[in-house]
Amino acid sequence: PALYFHSGEREEKCIIEDVPSDTLVIGRYLVQQWDIREQNFLESAPGLGMFVTVTTPSAEVLLRKLYGPQATFSFTSYISGEHVICLQSNSTRLVAFGGSKLRIHLDIRVGEHFLDEAVAQAKDKVNEVNFRLGHLIEQIHHISKEQNYEREREESFRKTSEQTNSNILWWAIVQTLILISIGLWQIKSLKDFFIAKKLV
């Protein structure tokens, strides 16, 4: 889903996207710059570019590239997990010395293409149907990957839960044995004490 956030000119902003392996991720952004005279964000930020950095769950840089004030970027994941997508402007001004506020509109699509662009380029109805059919097939593949990924996570969670439950059970058994041992020791100690004092 599309969102927007504010950022300083030198500030790096990151989002985390949980992505299955072998999945296409497409991002589109638009940068607007705050205008002091207009007291509003300008429709575009000419001259400003954005460094886009994508890092895998294993901290490997998958993408690092400088784009313009409006661009589309993409990458394909090769491992499942949380991918970090960071954006930072290429401004040389510091916020304390005249740097202004930016508004960044960002749309991330996981496992699909931006359909509107593809449909807009279709020359006739047959091509449009082909594009839509291809898009549906991609969506089916993506849903299948998502389900497999969720199944793997669920199985991992279940194994962890079973292991935890097993550890709790053994700890309860050990505690019970310790309490019984202490109880028997106390009974024997009291009995020996009474015998020693000739109370029994």
Side-chain angles (χ1 to χ4, degrees):
L3 56 91
Y4 76 84
F5 51 86
H6 292 150
S7 170
E9 282 197 24
R10 298 285 295 165
E11 190 178 359
E12 184 179 53
K13 292 283 187 176
C14 299
I15 65 165
I16 295 174
E17 197 70 43
D18 202 355
V19 183
S21 62
D22 194 29
T23 299
L24 175 67
V25 179
I26 300 179
R28 175 195 284 163
Y29 72 83
L30 166 68
V31 182
Q32 294 176 311
Q33 194 168 25
W34 178 257
D35 187 275
I36 298 174
R37 287 171 295 176
E38 297 285 333
Q39 288 295 300
N40 200 1
F41 286 96
L42 299 175
E43 283 306 307
S44 64
L48 269 183
M50 296 297 287
F51 283 106
V52 178
T53 306
V54 178
T55 310
T56 67
S58 59
E60 181 183 343
V61 176
L62 197 59
L63 171 71
R64 173 146 176 88
K65 190 173 178 183
L66 176 63
Y67 295 91
Q70 178 177 357
T72 299
F73 61 90
S74 65
F75 64 92
T76 301
S77 63
Y78 67 90
I79 57 172
S80 302
E82 294 181 342
H83 288 65
V84 181
I85 302 168
C86 297
L87 291 94
Q88 182 181 28
S89 78
N90 66 339
S91 171
T92 55
R93 296 191 298 177
L94 296 174
V95 176
F97 298 98
S100 63
K101 188 164 59 173
L102 303 176
R103 176 182 284 173
I104 302 169
H105 298 263
L106 180 63
D107 191 7
I108 301 288
R109 302 284 176 92
V110 178
E112 62 176 293
H113 295 286
F114 285 103
L115 183 61
D116 295 342
E117 288 183 3
V119 173
Q121 293 171 359
K123 295 181 179 177
D124 54 30
K125 288 291 179 185
V126 174
N127 284 340
E128 183 177 337
V129 169
N130 282 338
F131 275 121
R132 288 188 183 276
L133 187 59
H135 182 259
L136 286 174
I137 291 169
E138 280 183 14
Q139 285 294 90
I140 290 168
H141 288 312
H142 173 62
I143 289 168
S144 175
K145 285 179 191 172
E146 281 282 353
Q147 287 176 335
N148 290 335
Y149 180 47
E150 290 301 325
R151 251 195 305 274
E152 288 171 11
R153 292 180 64 181
E154 183 182 347
E155 186 176 344
S156 172
F157 179 75
R158 183 178 52 77
K159 284 179 181 175
T160 304
S161 297
E162 287 175 357
Q163 182 66 40
T164 304
N165 288 339
S166 174
N167 290 341
I168 290 170
L169 176 64
W170 281 110
W171 177 240
I173 291 170
V174 168
Q175 280 184 319
T176 304
L177 291 174
I178 290 171
L179 287 172
I180 291 170
S181 301
I182 290 171
L184 292 172
W185 177 77
Q186 285 180 334
I187 290 169
K188 184 180 180 305
S189 297
L190 281 171
K191 187 177 176 185
D192 291 345
F193 174 76
F194 290 143
I195 289 172
K197 296 292 183 181
K198 297 182 181 177
L199 297 172
V200 176

